[in-house]
Amino acid sequence: MARTIEQIQDTIIAKVVSDNKLSALTSSSKVSIWGRFVWCVAYCVWTLEMLFDTHKAEVADALANQKNGSLLWYRNMMLAFQYGFDLIQDTDRFDNTGHTDEQIEASKIIKYAAVTESEQESRLIIKIAGEDSDGNLAPIPDAQKTAVDYYVSEFNYAGVKYTIINYAPDRLQLNLTIKIDPKVIDLTGTKILMSASDVGSKPVEEALKEFMKELPFDGKLVLNALIDKLQKIEGVVNPILNNASTSWIDVIAGGYAAMQPIYGEALPVAGYFTFSLDNPEFQTVINYVV
Amino acid sequence: MWYNVDVKKLATQNIPTILRADVLVAYVKALVKPIDDIYYLWFQNRNANIYILAHNGQKCYLRAVLNDNFDREARRIEIDDGTVYEPVYIYTDAEITANPYLSRFLDLTIYQDSELSVTAVDFFVRVPEDVSYNEYEMKYLIDFYKLGSKRYKRLTL
């Protein structure tokens, strides 16, 4: 903590007063010449102390903001990626000069990222996903992925091994039998009592879509949670999950691997799931029974 | 900036104008000389502190440190992750004759120890041939900034 100029000045004056050899310096005038000299020196000492203080705060601040290379830091760095912007040389920051906030926001193409450690080796698994025009999760296109690769290799800690996973979503195939209350939902799954806002709505299908959206990125799919969600729908008496299976991109073979049954819960390899009611390759079937 | 201070000028400015005779000004400058010396030491120290704080083991910053120190103008020193290969057991001729399936191992590439995944280094520092540097100084700098547990190898291009 810096002293005030007056405190420093008083220290010097006290020393002068207590010294017999300096007894000639008696003037207490603010503009006395010897008082002026004391002031000059005190002022310089004070400036120096202020500099020390500012520097101390500056260093403390820099230490607090130091990058620690934690998983969370890696995730934040992924989300900070800006497509089309150049990095300031020898740093991990993008050069945003002359760009509007909207442009900067639009260039952040990685919307979802999850970073975990590999179980087999010392390696980071970085899962990323962007959004398509409808706001659904989608892989980052190849051209943009090249830029992401370069960015990661620049900001990465030298020597840290990593794998970026930017695959198409894991496929989820469900086979459901829904026991319905025929007074509320008919056998095609359509809600009988319709208001103007939900003409022809199929509550079970909507709940499924909603459930997939609510699933966090790189979050576990828990089948029981899905059942719970369906159970809450008005008109559903008993939702039965006959079968659930998933398949993910096989990088070596190319394309999706064979469907694997899910037992209880599943972690998506790509970080997220997709399901379809009409694609025959992984069609989700819902049977309505009374 | 706030850290640029001319102590001598500062002291002189605090003398009333009518007293600013050459002798007095010189005297005041002499009075604050020790303060100026400390300021200079602090200034150097601050630059070093800030530099250390702003750089770490990230590839871009580690590269900046090495280039700042050894190749300031051209900045050609590079860091890369290097390719890692799986080691292959070398069979003897007798083994291969006995089992023709092994003949595919006849065609082998020889890699350095540091390129194999078992003994591999984690990153390479590529230094152009005409960059002269003190080996110990470079080792110190890399060890100072790099992440613990990461091994590296210096390559001259």
Side-chain angles (χ1 to χ4, degrees), chain A residues 219-237:
Chain A
K220 230 176 222 164
L221 167 80
V222 181
L223 294 177
N224 275 339
L226 175 65
I227 306 274
D228 288 349
K229 175 100 185 166
L230 297 178
Q231 185 80 68
K232 279 182 201 143
I233 305 169
E234 198 195 347
V236 170
V237 178

Side-chain angles (χ1 to χ4, degrees), chain A residues 4-283:
Chain A
T4 62
I5 303 179
E6 284 70 28
Q7 282 172 325
I8 302 168
Q9 213 180 348
D10 288 348
T11 316
I12 301 175
I13 292 173
K15 191 78 189 154
V16 170
V17 172
S18 67
D19 197 331
N20 284 336
K21 279 170 274 181
L22 296 172
S23 53
L25 301 177
T26 49
S27 169
S28 60
S29 160
K30 274 197 169 168
V31 291
S32 69
I33 294 181
W34 78 272
R36 217 50 230 172
F37 288 163
V38 168
W39 168 264
C40 281
V41 174
Y43 189 79
C44 291
V45 171
W46 173 78
T47 309
L48 203 62
E49 288 187 7
M50 287 301 280
L51 287 178
F52 290 169
D53 272 8
T54 318
H55 180 50
K56 210 166 159 183
E58 181 186 42
V59 169
D61 188 51
L63 281 176
N65 290 322
Q66 232 181 8
K67 304 149 191 171
N68 53 15
S70 64
L71 296 180
L72 188 63
W73 176 78
Y74 267 94
R75 177 175 177 272
N76 290 339
M77 287 303 283
M78 293 311 297
L79 293 176
F81 171 73
Q82 290 174 244
Y83 182 61
F85 284 72
D86 204 2
L87 286 169
I88 302 169
Q89 200 200 348
D90 287 338
T91 70
D92 57 7
R93 291 185 305 275
F94 285 97
D95 188 357
N96 284 336
T97 44
H99 293 278
T100 63
D101 287 353
E102 287 79 29
Q103 282 174 317
I104 292 167
E105 208 42 55
S107 70
K108 292 185 176 170
I109 55 168
I110 298 179
K111 305 286 184 198
Y112 303 88
V115 181
T116 51
E117 281 157 353
S118 162
E119 282 169 16
Q120 287 92 27
E121 51 177 331
S122 160
R123 180 178 286 274
L124 288 177
I125 309 290
I126 303 171
K127 296 181 186 180
I128 52 170
E131 272 177 2
D132 61 16
S133 47
D134 300 329
N136 293 321
L137 277 77
I140 308 286
D142 280 349
Q144 304 177 352
K145 173 70 173 17
T146 317
V148 175
D149 285 342
Y150 175 76
Y151 168 66
V152 177
S153 82
E154 276 292 290
F155 84 71
N156 183 35
Y157 273 88
V160 172
K161 305 266 182 293
Y162 60 87
T163 305
I164 301 177
I165 294 185
N166 178 41
Y167 302 155
D170 288 24
R171 286 173 166 180
L172 179 68
Q173 186 174 28
L174 302 169
N175 189 316
L176 292 160
T177 303
I178 311 282
K179 211 168 176 187
I180 47 161
D181 180 351
K183 297 190 290 296
V184 184
I185 298 176
D186 71 11
L187 282 172
T188 61
T190 318
K191 207 171 169 187
I192 297 171
L193 192 65
M194 284 178 286
S195 64
S197 62
D198 55 356
V199 176
S201 80
K202 297 190 168 184
V204 175
E205 290 175 17
E206 265 153 35
L208 267 179
K209 280 178 195 154
E210 209 173 273
F211 180 79
M212 301 305 289
K213 274 215 172 113
E214 284 167 2
L215 215 63
F217 188 69
D218 205 32
K220 230 176 222 164
L221 167 80
V222 181
L223 294 177
N224 275 339
L226 175 65
I227 306 274
D228 288 349
K229 175 100 185 166
L230 297 178
Q231 185 80 68
K232 279 182 201 143
I233 305 169
E234 198 195 347
V236 170
V237 178
N238 186 13
I240 304 155
L241 183 63
N242 302 317
N243 183 32
S245 48
T246 177
S247 79
W248 52 90
I249 297 279
D250 184 339
V251 187
I252 299 156
Y256 281 95
M259 283 284 177
Q260 302 283 334
I262 300 175
Y263 181 74
E265 51 191 34
L267 196 69
V269 175
Y272 53 115
F273 286 106
T274 179
F275 80 104
S276 168
L277 292 166
D278 38 47
N279 187 334
E281 282 176 45
F282 62 108
Q283 192 177 11

Side-chain angles (χ1 to χ4, degrees), chain B residues 72-119:
Chain B
R72 191 162 260 288
E73 292 304 312
R75 309 191 80 81
R76 288 164 301 180
I77 299 176
E78 281 178 15
I79 290 170
D80 73 56
D81 299 328
T83 329
V84 170
Y85 304 96
E86 289 301 317
V88 178
Y89 178 78
I90 301 178
Y91 294 94
T92 61
D93 281 353
E95 279 174 309
I96 293 177
T97 329
N99 187 352
Y101 171 72
L102 293 177
S103 61
R104 69 191 173 95
F105 288 108
L106 281 174
D107 196 14
L108 292 177
T109 317
I110 295 178
Y111 299 112
Q112 294 181 20
D113 243 11
S114 59
E115 287 177 301
L116 296 178
S117 64
V118 202
T119 46

